[in-house]
């Protein structure tokens, strides 16, 4: 699940995510770390069109449930006057 953003931003994040962890990969700590690093980059790119360039992204991977929860604090948007 993705939380902390509007539906529009969430849709753009989902469109930007190229990786989805395979169920079996959620048992491998090295693969989880690789997935999380790449996902944070892609999430950040997915929110930049909305003016947010310094988000705080937290991923919570649950190997037992085979899920990844994403919490995003967008921070302050960049405004051009």
């Amino acid at each position: 699940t993705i939380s902390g953003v509007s539906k529009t931003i969430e849709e753009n994040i989902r469109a930007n995510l190229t990786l989805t962890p395979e169920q079996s990969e959620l048992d491998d700590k090295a693969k989880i770390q690789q997935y999380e690093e790449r996902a944070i980059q892609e999430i950040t790119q997915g929110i930049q069109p909305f003016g947010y360039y310094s988000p705080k992204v937290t991923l919570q991977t649950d190997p037992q449930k085979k899920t990844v929860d994403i919490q995003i604090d967008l921070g302050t948007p960049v405004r051009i006057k």
Side-chain angles (χ1 to χ4, degrees):
T1 60
I2 299 174
S3 57
V5 296
S6 69
K7 191 70 170 169
T8 303
I9 293 175
E10 179 182 347
E11 289 171 356
N12 204 56
I13 289 169
R14 289 186 185 279
N16 210 49
L17 285 173
T18 58
L19 293 176
T20 53
E22 296 296 324
Q23 296 291 331
S24 61
E25 290 180 339
L26 290 174
D27 294 327
D28 183 333
K29 288 186 181 197
K31 288 192 184 281
I32 289 172
Q33 184 176 355
Q34 289 173 346
Y35 167 77
E36 289 179 348
E37 289 171 2
R38 178 74 182 264
I40 289 171
Q41 289 176 349
E42 292 178 354
I43 290 164
T44 300
Q45 291 171 348
I47 66 171
Q48 286 177 348
F50 300 94
Y52 297 97
Y53 294 91
S54 300
K56 186 176 186 181
V57 180
T58 305
L59 282 81
Q60 190 72 18
T61 306
D62 187 336
Q64 264 66 24
K65 293 181 181 178
K66 309 281 188 196
T67 61
V68 178
D69 292 320
I70 302 167
Q71 174 62 41
I72 302 168
D73 177 357
L74 292 173
T76 305
V78 173
R79 304 271 189 224
I80 299 174
K81 293 182 179 184

